[in-house]
């Protein structure tokens, strides 16, 4: 029985490794943990296309926030410089 459990674990690991290789070839940008989470969500009934849209939207939002933070830090840096010159 324990042998069967180890075999299933080994098979699951091989499947995840294969999926991760495909993910890298397709340049999805997903790390192993995120990919595993996506697989579990799909196994539990989440629509893969809907999941794709959510991931794309989260990436857009993240990029927008990073852009805002960079723009904001540049502004605050200028304020620090100009106030220190006074």
């Amino acid at each position: 029985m324990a042998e069967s459990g180890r075999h299933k674990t080994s098979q699951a690991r091989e499947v995840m490794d294969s999926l991760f290789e495909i993910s890298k070839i397709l340049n999805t940008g997903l790390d192993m943990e995120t990919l595993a989470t996506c697989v579990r969500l799909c196994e539990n009934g989440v629509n893969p296309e809907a999941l794709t849209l959510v991931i794309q939207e989260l990436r857009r939002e993240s990029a927008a926030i990073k852009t805002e933070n960079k723009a904001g830090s540049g502004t605050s840096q200028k304020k620090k410089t100009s106030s220190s010159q006074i």
Side-chain angles (χ1 to χ4, degrees), residues 8-47:
K8 285 183 181 181
T9 301
S10 175
Q11 281 182 327
R13 183 66 185 170
E14 285 181 35
V15 168
M16 280 307 302
D17 287 343
S18 296
L19 286 174
F20 187 60
E21 287 301 314
I22 293 168
S23 174
K24 289 192 307 188
I25 290 168
L26 295 173
N27 295 320
T28 65
L30 299 174
D31 59 27
M32 181 65 96
E33 183 180 357
T34 305
L35 179 62
T37 300
C38 291
V39 169
R40 282 192 299 273
L41 286 168
C42 290
E43 288 174 341
N44 286 307
V46 172
N47 181 321

Side-chain angles (χ1 to χ4, degrees), residues 48-72:
E49 291 177 16
L51 183 57
T52 299
L53 294 174
V54 169
I55 291 169
Q56 289 172 341
E57 183 62 25
L58 288 171
R59 285 181 173 167
R60 275 193 292 274
E61 289 294 322
S62 177
I65 290 169
K66 286 178 183 176
T67 301
E68 286 177 16
N69 287 342
K70 284 182 182 179

